[in-house]
Amino acid sequence: MAISPYVAELRRHVGSSLLHLPSVMGVIYDAQSRVLLVRQTADGLWSTPGGVLEPDETPASAVVREVQEETGLVVSVVRLLGVFGGPSFVVQYPNGDRSQYLSAIFECAVQGGSLVPDGDETDQLTFAGPNEIA
């Protein structure tokens, strides 16, 4: 789903105004220490899997849910890598909506599942090393 019901409800009240939203991202490594990237269907940009927390959800459970939704992988949280935010985390979407994310980034370990894009939010998945990311 491209926009959560929670964010859609907020948007009904504030329109396209800037929303501050808590979010998570999962960093998943393969055996060659490459990072899993997902291509977003909305804009074609590559990122690590992740998304917005839903009401009453913990950051750790949100990253597990988001990774599974976007990649098909079942993961567990290894550790918190950091929390990031500020002006460089403001996104303006094609429809004019603006969001500023406060993002908790977690290293995750694969426990199961099959690596498959969801076809809604993500349309391609790949592991990339430093040279490919640059």
Side-chain angles (χ1 to χ4, degrees):
M1 102 182 50
I3 186 170
S4 77
Y6 173 70
V7 174
E9 176 65 22
L10 291 175
R11 287 282 173 215
R12 281 197 285 281
H13 297 284
V14 301
S16 293
S17 296
L18 183 68
L19 284 178
H20 288 257
L21 296 170
S23 66
V24 294
M25 298 175 83
V27 176
I28 301 157
Y29 297 101
D30 69 4
Q32 291 79 41
S33 298
R34 299 176 300 172
V35 174
L36 177 62
L37 299 176
V38 299
R39 192 173 84 161
Q40 305 296 325
T41 56
D43 54 18
L45 295 177
W46 290 89
S47 68
T48 55
V52 174
L53 274 74
E54 295 296 330
D56 299 322
E57 191 172 39
T58 68
S61 63
V63 76
V64 169
R65 175 184 54 78
E66 285 287 349
V67 167
Q68 186 168 18
E69 285 176 3
E70 294 183 6
T71 71
L73 296 177
V74 176
V75 298
S76 62
V77 170
V78 174
R79 64 187 170 121
L80 176 67
L81 297 173
V83 179
F84 303 91
S88 62
F89 282 75
V90 174
V91 176
Q92 180 156 343
Y93 293 94
N95 68 356
D97 290 352
R98 292 179 62 232
S99 298
Q100 182 170 346
Y101 296 98
L102 176 66
S103 193
I105 316 283
F106 293 94
E107 180 180 343
C108 299
V110 176
Q111 302 300 314
S114 298
L115 194 59
V116 179
D118 70 359
D120 180 27
E121 291 183 80
T122 62
D123 61 4
Q124 290 185 38
L125 310 172
T126 191
F127 283 93
N131 293 336
E132 296 143 318
I133 291 173

